[in-house]
Amino acid sequence: MFKELEALEKEFPQFKEKNSPTVKVGSTSSKKFEDYTHKTRLYSLDNTYSYEELEKWYEKIKADFPNRKELEVVCELKIDGLAVALTYENSELTVGATRGDGVTGENITANLKTVKTIPKHLTSDGISLEARGEIYMPKSAFEQLNKRQADSRQKLFANPRNAAAGSLRQQNPEITAERELAMFTYAGILNNPEVKTHEETLLYLKKMGFNLNPNFRKCKNIQEAIEYCKHWDKARYDLDYATDGVVIKINELAIQNELGFTSRAPRWATAFKFPPEEMSTTLLDIEINVGRTGAVTPVAVLEPVFISGSTVSRATLHNFDEIKRLDINIGDRVLIKKAAEIIPKVITVMKKGSRQSGAFEAPEKCPFCGSTLVPAEGEVNLYCPNTLGCPAQLKGRVEYWASNDCMDIEGLGESIIAQLVDKELIKSPADLYSLTVDDLMTLDLIARKSAQNLYNSIQASKHPPLARFINALGIRHVGKEMSEILAKKFLTFENLKHASAEDILEIEGAGEKIAGSVLDFFKNSYNNEVLQKLEANSVIPEELKREEGKDTFAGLTFVITGTLSKPRDSFEKIIKQHGGKVSSSVSKKTAYVLLGEAPGSKFDKARELGVKIINEKEFDDLLGEN
Ligand code: IVH
């Protein structure tokens, strides 16, 4: 399309727009949110990296106030998240915005309103103030989120900070609400003459309903502040959130005012940055790990070292290109780091080992099942295409297999699956269907009645809709939506199995990546064995029939907002059954916005764009007319 546009512009220069993508440098960033100009600028902080520097900073300030023997400071943990400013008018939260460049940020009020630790109303009436703080994602929530991302074969976040940023910049606040975000409030513009110190500001904010980080401390002098830094440099690893330093702030607001700001940071505060810990150790081995979704990653096996609060004996090497880049091999002395990221990483080779065996080569076969590994289209990684039979993938695959959007097997959860795999009762999802009640009785903590129930629900799952069956197979890049599209296009599983790359490429939205992975999947002989076993166990998906006269909504995109009389799913189903599409955001292309009670911002957007808004009755009428 870009090339076509270039050619057209050459031929018809009179129609070339000044903002054409062909003249812009870099990405044509689609601005997702509205700009918000901060009432008072948000500053950054100067950093200090040693206790000496910290003392110097303090002594310099003290020199300006010779009649003071000591100056109190407040120490707070520096939270590694995203700064936001919240405006309250008459005790109501009116605007929540990102820091941006300090002058202008993005208005993300709807998303911030979903954060539980942000008060929507203050605890006292008639108050106007601005609160500032850091939005973060707890480490535990980050791990859970990445687990869910992996299970649904979506991109993983590198660290909690990126996950928090991604969650805040969602178009749909419902997704933000599902992410476990929280806020620590660390500053306020109160316009309250009774509040005379930073400590009082914090306590006032707390009284108004804000969440403070409980670990702040008032210190009499810089020595106490240094003790605080030393303590948290070690203790930080026990916290459920990431912190990369300590912020030290002069307590008295009158002194803060006198000191003022440089062009980018306050003179009355500084950040002491914790050192990222690095350690050297010996690389004992390079293990090949196959993840729950088949991704192959090399893992460094290390002589154990204590680093950043825990003993490390393994570190990720990411992929085989990284091994080449580092020129790393077994026996080398390597440098390990565990900084903001939670997973330790090999940074560099310090001293090469004997290297008798030459350069380290990527394996050709999966160490767990022997399948020939294949490169993932557009990625540096290799993956094991034996989706259904590879033991390394089995637990994850079966969990996915049993989930609601797949075979929907009630009562088949993570711990039961783990037991079934560990006791070798199943070697693939197909084996689920030959399990007997007696087999299930051998599992821990399962009584006859629940074994019988589980047996029944496994048996009851044998004839799912085709789309759910395709989804259950876990074909790379084929998720819930694409499974529905494939089912609609091919109507039977047999048709899909024999589809050519061209057949798949005919589908709008399916590119080489999807065609390639569907073909790889059906090429793998182990997968085919499992498919045969499924059929032998009479696991047969329903076939689709082309329904005539049911394309009332063909080519129409709906957006649903607010609460309706039935769950949203059921409306989505009706729309899709009648050939329509459902989208989560309103654009000019939206045909109808189906409006329920208490609608969200989509309603305003629809009005702004002049999109047709209908209620449930009108929706039924549309259906009925046809
Ligand atoms: S005070 C004018 N306190 O650090 C002083 N900042 O590098 C502004 N941060 O943008 C900030 N924890 O996002 C302050 N307890 C804390 C903090 C904190 C994290 C962040 C904040 C700011 C950045 C500056």
Short mmCIF file of all heavy atoms in Angstrom, two decimals, residues 41-47 76-84 99 132-134 184-187 198 244 246-247 249 261 264-266 268-269 271 273, ligand 1:
data_model
loop_
_atom_site.label_atom_id
_atom_site.label_comp_id
_atom_site.label_asym_id
_atom_site.label_seq_id
_atom_site.Cartn_x
_atom_site.Cartn_y
_atom_site.Cartn_z
N ARG A 41 3.55 22.10 36.43
CA ARG A 41 4.45 21.20 35.74
C ARG A 41 4.88 20.01 36.61
O ARG A 41 5.06 20.17 37.82
CB ARG A 41 5.68 22.00 35.31
CG ARG A 41 6.55 21.21 34.41
CD ARG A 41 7.78 21.91 34.02
NE ARG A 41 8.73 20.84 33.77
CZ ARG A 41 9.92 20.99 33.25
NH1 ARG A 41 10.36 22.19 32.96
NH2 ARG A 41 10.71 19.96 33.06
N LEU A 42 5.04 18.85 35.99
CA LEU A 42 5.58 17.69 36.71
C LEU A 42 7.08 17.60 36.41
O LEU A 42 7.47 17.54 35.24
CB LEU A 42 4.91 16.39 36.25
CG LEU A 42 3.61 16.02 36.94
CD1 LEU A 42 2.47 16.87 36.42
CD2 LEU A 42 3.30 14.55 36.75
N TYR A 43 7.89 17.63 37.47
CA TYR A 43 9.33 17.61 37.27
C TYR A 43 9.88 16.20 37.36
O TYR A 43 9.21 15.27 37.82
CB TYR A 43 10.00 18.49 38.34
CG TYR A 43 9.85 19.96 38.04
CD1 TYR A 43 8.73 20.66 38.46
CD2 TYR A 43 10.84 20.63 37.32
CE1 TYR A 43 8.59 22.00 38.18
CE2 TYR A 43 10.71 21.98 37.03
CZ TYR A 43 9.58 22.66 37.48
OH TYR A 43 9.45 23.99 37.19
N SER A 44 11.11 16.09 36.92
CA SER A 44 11.84 14.84 37.05
C SER A 44 12.67 14.90 38.34
O SER A 44 12.46 15.81 39.15
CB SER A 44 12.72 14.68 35.82
OG SER A 44 13.31 13.43 35.84
N LEU A 45 13.58 14.00 38.51
CA LEU A 45 14.44 14.04 39.69
C LEU A 45 15.90 13.92 39.25
O LEU A 45 16.20 13.23 38.28
CB LEU A 45 14.14 12.86 40.62
CG LEU A 45 12.86 12.89 41.45
CD1 LEU A 45 12.62 11.53 42.06
CD2 LEU A 45 12.98 13.96 42.55
N ASP A 46 16.80 14.60 39.99
CA ASP A 46 18.22 14.35 39.75
C ASP A 46 18.59 13.07 40.47
O ASP A 46 18.01 12.73 41.50
CB ASP A 46 19.06 15.51 40.32
CG ASP A 46 18.96 16.74 39.42
OD1 ASP A 46 18.74 16.56 38.21
OD2 ASP A 46 19.10 17.87 39.94
N ASN A 47 19.56 12.38 39.91
CA ASN A 47 19.97 11.11 40.52
C ASN A 47 21.30 11.23 41.24
O ASN A 47 22.17 11.99 40.82
CB ASN A 47 20.13 10.05 39.43
CG ASN A 47 18.80 9.73 38.80
OD1 ASN A 47 17.77 9.72 39.47
ND2 ASN A 47 18.81 9.46 37.50
N GLU A 76 11.54 8.05 50.77
CA GLU A 76 10.50 7.18 50.22
C GLU A 76 11.14 6.23 49.23
O GLU A 76 12.15 6.58 48.61
CB GLU A 76 9.46 8.01 49.44
CG GLU A 76 8.66 8.94 50.29
CD GLU A 76 7.96 10.00 49.43
OE1 GLU A 76 7.86 9.84 48.20
OE2 GLU A 76 7.52 10.99 50.02
N LEU A 77 10.53 5.09 49.04
CA LEU A 77 11.02 4.19 47.99
C LEU A 77 10.69 4.81 46.65
O LEU A 77 9.61 5.40 46.48
CB LEU A 77 10.38 2.82 48.12
CG LEU A 77 10.80 2.06 49.37
CD1 LEU A 77 10.07 0.73 49.46
CD2 LEU A 77 12.31 1.85 49.37
N LYS A 78 11.60 4.69 45.71
CA LYS A 78 11.32 5.17 44.35
C LYS A 78 10.68 4.01 43.60
O LYS A 78 11.32 2.99 43.35
CB LYS A 78 12.62 5.61 43.68
CG LYS A 78 12.40 6.26 42.32
CD LYS A 78 13.68 6.92 41.85
CE LYS A 78 13.45 7.78 40.63
NZ LYS A 78 13.08 7.02 39.45
N ILE A 79 9.42 4.17 43.31
CA ILE A 79 8.66 3.07 42.71
C ILE A 79 8.90 3.08 41.20
O ILE A 79 8.84 4.13 40.56
CB ILE A 79 7.15 3.24 42.99
CG1 ILE A 79 6.91 3.54 44.48
CG2 ILE A 79 6.37 2.01 42.54
CD1 ILE A 79 7.37 2.49 45.42
N ASP A 80 9.15 1.91 40.65
CA ASP A 80 9.44 1.82 39.21
C ASP A 80 8.15 1.57 38.45
O ASP A 80 7.77 0.44 38.17
CB ASP A 80 10.44 0.69 38.96
CG ASP A 80 11.09 0.81 37.61
OD1 ASP A 80 10.91 1.86 36.96
OD2 ASP A 80 11.77 -0.14 37.19
N GLY A 81 7.45 2.66 38.17
CA GLY A 81 6.19 2.55 37.44
C GLY A 81 6.01 3.74 36.56
O GLY A 81 6.96 4.19 35.92
N LEU A 82 4.78 4.28 36.53
CA LEU A 82 4.51 5.45 35.68
C LEU A 82 3.89 6.56 36.51
O LEU A 82 2.95 6.32 37.26
CB LEU A 82 3.52 5.08 34.59
CG LEU A 82 4.07 4.07 33.63
CD1 LEU A 82 3.33 2.78 33.79
CD2 LEU A 82 3.96 4.60 32.26
N ALA A 83 4.42 7.79 36.32
CA ALA A 83 3.90 8.91 37.10
C ALA A 83 2.57 9.37 36.52
O ALA A 83 2.40 9.48 35.31
CB ALA A 83 4.90 10.06 37.04
N VAL A 84 1.62 9.64 37.43
CA VAL A 84 0.34 10.22 36.99
C VAL A 84 -0.04 11.37 37.91
O VAL A 84 0.44 11.46 39.04
CB VAL A 84 -0.81 9.19 36.98
CG1 VAL A 84 -0.59 8.12 35.93
CG2 VAL A 84 -1.03 8.58 38.35
N ARG A 99 2.36 11.69 32.98
CA ARG A 99 3.29 12.79 33.12
C ARG A 99 3.62 13.40 31.76
O ARG A 99 3.74 14.61 31.63
CB ARG A 99 4.58 12.29 33.78
CG ARG A 99 5.60 13.41 33.95
CD ARG A 99 6.83 12.96 34.67
NE ARG A 99 7.75 12.29 33.76
CZ ARG A 99 9.04 12.10 34.00
NH1 ARG A 99 9.55 12.50 35.14
NH2 ARG A 99 9.80 11.48 33.13
N ARG A 132 -0.28 13.27 43.16
CA ARG A 132 0.63 12.67 42.19
C ARG A 132 1.20 11.38 42.77
O ARG A 132 1.40 11.27 43.98
CB ARG A 132 1.76 13.64 41.87
CG ARG A 132 1.23 14.84 41.12
CD ARG A 132 2.28 15.88 40.91
NE ARG A 132 1.72 16.97 40.11
CZ ARG A 132 2.41 18.02 39.72
NH1 ARG A 132 3.68 18.14 40.06
NH2 ARG A 132 1.84 18.96 38.99
N GLY A 133 1.44 10.48 41.91
CA GLY A 133 1.99 9.22 42.39
C GLY A 133 2.36 8.32 41.26
O GLY A 133 2.38 8.73 40.10
N GLU A 134 2.67 7.11 41.62
CA GLU A 134 3.18 6.15 40.65
C GLU A 134 2.21 4.99 40.51
O GLU A 134 1.78 4.41 41.50
CB GLU A 134 4.53 5.65 41.18
CG GLU A 134 5.42 5.07 40.15
CD GLU A 134 6.25 6.12 39.38
OE1 GLU A 134 6.00 7.33 39.52
OE2 GLU A 134 7.14 5.68 38.63
N PHE A 184 0.76 4.21 44.32
CA PHE A 184 1.31 4.78 45.55
C PHE A 184 1.35 6.29 45.33
O PHE A 184 1.98 6.76 44.37
CB PHE A 184 2.72 4.27 45.82
CG PHE A 184 2.77 2.87 46.36
CD1 PHE A 184 3.61 1.92 45.80
CD2 PHE A 184 1.97 2.49 47.45
CE1 PHE A 184 3.68 0.63 46.31
CE2 PHE A 184 2.03 1.20 47.96
CZ PHE A 184 2.88 0.27 47.39
N THR A 185 0.69 7.03 46.20
CA THR A 185 0.67 8.48 46.07
C THR A 185 1.87 9.04 46.82
O THR A 185 2.13 8.62 47.94
CB THR A 185 -0.65 9.00 46.65
OG1 THR A 185 -1.70 8.29 46.02
CG2 THR A 185 -0.82 10.48 46.42
N TYR A 186 2.62 9.95 46.18
CA TYR A 186 3.82 10.46 46.85
C TYR A 186 3.90 11.98 46.90
O TYR A 186 4.88 12.52 47.40
CB TYR A 186 5.09 9.86 46.23
CG TYR A 186 5.23 10.04 44.74
CD1 TYR A 186 5.34 11.30 44.18
CD2 TYR A 186 5.28 8.94 43.89
CE1 TYR A 186 5.48 11.48 42.82
CE2 TYR A 186 5.41 9.10 42.52
CZ TYR A 186 5.51 10.37 41.99
OH TYR A 186 5.64 10.54 40.64
N ALA A 187 2.93 12.67 46.34
CA ALA A 187 2.99 14.14 46.41
C ALA A 187 1.59 14.71 46.22
O ALA A 187 0.71 14.05 45.68
CB ALA A 187 3.92 14.69 45.34
N HIS A 198 6.29 18.00 54.11
CA HIS A 198 5.97 16.93 53.16
C HIS A 198 5.30 15.77 53.90
O HIS A 198 4.36 15.15 53.40
CB HIS A 198 7.24 16.46 52.46
CG HIS A 198 6.99 15.36 51.49
ND1 HIS A 198 6.19 15.50 50.39
CD2 HIS A 198 7.40 14.05 51.49
CE1 HIS A 198 6.12 14.35 49.73
NE2 HIS A 198 6.85 13.46 50.37
N ASP A 244 13.61 1.12 42.29
CA ASP A 244 14.98 1.23 41.78
C ASP A 244 15.80 2.25 42.55
O ASP A 244 16.87 2.63 42.13
CB ASP A 244 14.97 1.55 40.28
CG ASP A 244 14.14 2.79 39.97
OD1 ASP A 244 13.44 3.27 40.87
OD2 ASP A 244 14.20 3.28 38.83
N VAL A 246 15.79 5.28 46.20
CA VAL A 246 15.11 5.99 47.29
C VAL A 246 15.00 7.46 46.88
O VAL A 246 15.94 8.00 46.30
CB VAL A 246 15.91 5.86 48.60
CG1 VAL A 246 15.36 6.77 49.69
CG2 VAL A 246 15.94 4.41 49.07
N VAL A 247 13.84 8.07 47.13
CA VAL A 247 13.73 9.51 46.88
C VAL A 247 13.85 10.20 48.23
O VAL A 247 13.15 9.86 49.18
CB VAL A 247 12.39 9.87 46.21
CG1 VAL A 247 12.35 11.35 45.87
CG2 VAL A 247 12.17 9.04 44.95
N LYS A 249 13.56 13.73 50.20
CA LYS A 249 12.93 15.05 50.02
C LYS A 249 13.08 15.87 51.30
O LYS A 249 12.86 15.34 52.39
CB LYS A 249 11.43 14.87 49.74
CG LYS A 249 11.14 13.99 48.55
CD LYS A 249 9.65 13.69 48.39
CE LYS A 249 9.42 12.81 47.16
NZ LYS A 249 8.03 12.36 47.01
N PHE A 261 13.27 25.01 41.78
CA PHE A 261 13.55 23.98 40.78
C PHE A 261 14.66 24.42 39.83
O PHE A 261 14.83 25.60 39.57
CB PHE A 261 12.30 23.73 39.93
CG PHE A 261 11.15 23.20 40.72
CD1 PHE A 261 10.32 24.05 41.45
CD2 PHE A 261 10.89 21.84 40.74
CE1 PHE A 261 9.26 23.56 42.18
CE2 PHE A 261 9.82 21.33 41.47
CZ PHE A 261 9.00 22.20 42.19
N ARG A 264 14.81 21.08 35.14
CA ARG A 264 14.14 19.78 35.01
C ARG A 264 13.78 19.09 36.32
O ARG A 264 12.99 18.16 36.33
CB ARG A 264 14.97 18.82 34.14
CG ARG A 264 16.34 18.47 34.72
CD ARG A 264 17.06 17.44 33.86
NE ARG A 264 16.44 16.12 33.92
CZ ARG A 264 16.70 15.21 34.84
NH1 ARG A 264 17.57 15.46 35.81
NH2 ARG A 264 16.13 14.03 34.81
N ALA A 265 14.37 19.57 37.43
CA ALA A 265 14.16 18.82 38.68
C ALA A 265 14.14 19.76 39.89
O ALA A 265 14.71 20.84 39.84
CB ALA A 265 15.27 17.80 38.84
N PRO A 266 13.50 19.32 40.98
CA PRO A 266 13.54 20.15 42.19
C PRO A 266 14.93 20.12 42.82
O PRO A 266 15.63 19.12 42.71
CB PRO A 266 12.53 19.45 43.11
CG PRO A 266 12.46 18.05 42.64
CD PRO A 266 12.73 18.08 41.16
N TRP A 268 15.15 20.49 45.98
CA TRP A 268 14.87 20.01 47.35
C TRP A 268 14.68 18.49 47.43
O TRP A 268 14.31 17.95 48.46
CB TRP A 268 13.65 20.72 47.92
CG TRP A 268 12.48 20.80 46.97
CD1 TRP A 268 12.17 21.86 46.18
CD2 TRP A 268 11.50 19.80 46.71
NE1 TRP A 268 11.05 21.58 45.43
CE2 TRP A 268 10.62 20.32 45.75
CE3 TRP A 268 11.26 18.52 47.21
CZ2 TRP A 268 9.52 19.60 45.26
CZ3 TRP A 268 10.17 17.80 46.72
CH2 TRP A 268 9.32 18.34 45.75
N ALA A 269 14.91 17.82 46.31
CA ALA A 269 14.77 16.36 46.33
C ALA A 269 15.81 15.74 45.43
O ALA A 269 16.30 16.37 44.49
CB ALA A 269 13.38 15.95 45.86
N ALA A 271 17.13 11.56 43.90
CA ALA A 271 16.90 10.11 43.92
C ALA A 271 18.22 9.42 44.12
O ALA A 271 19.19 9.69 43.42
CB ALA A 271 16.28 9.68 42.60
N LYS A 273 19.94 6.11 43.49
CA LYS A 273 19.66 4.93 42.68
C LYS A 273 20.40 3.71 43.22
O LYS A 273 21.61 3.76 43.44
CB LYS A 273 20.08 5.17 41.22
CG LYS A 273 19.28 6.27 40.55
CD LYS A 273 17.84 5.85 40.28
CE LYS A 273 17.72 5.10 39.01
NZ LYS A 273 17.14 5.77 37.89
S1 IVH B 1 8.78 12.73 43.65
C1 IVH B 1 9.22 16.82 41.93
N1 IVH B 1 8.60 10.37 44.80
O1 IVH B 1 10.48 9.09 39.69
C2 IVH B 1 9.46 15.47 42.43
N2 IVH B 1 8.92 10.46 42.45
O2 IVH B 1 12.75 10.23 38.21
C3 IVH B 1 8.88 14.47 41.53
N3 IVH B 1 8.98 8.27 41.38
O3 IVH B 1 8.60 11.02 37.48
C4 IVH B 1 8.82 13.12 41.93
N4 IVH B 1 8.65 7.08 43.18
O4 IVH B 1 7.55 8.92 38.37
C5 IVH B 1 8.77 11.05 43.65
N5 IVH B 1 8.38 8.37 45.94
C6 IVH B 1 8.55 9.03 44.80
C7 IVH B 1 8.68 8.37 43.57
C8 IVH B 1 8.88 9.14 42.41
C9 IVH B 1 8.82 7.04 41.88
C10 IVH B 1 9.21 8.59 39.94
C11 IVH B 1 8.28 9.59 39.37
C12 IVH B 1 9.12 10.63 38.70
C13 IVH B 1 10.43 9.91 38.57
C14 IVH B 1 11.58 10.88 38.54
#
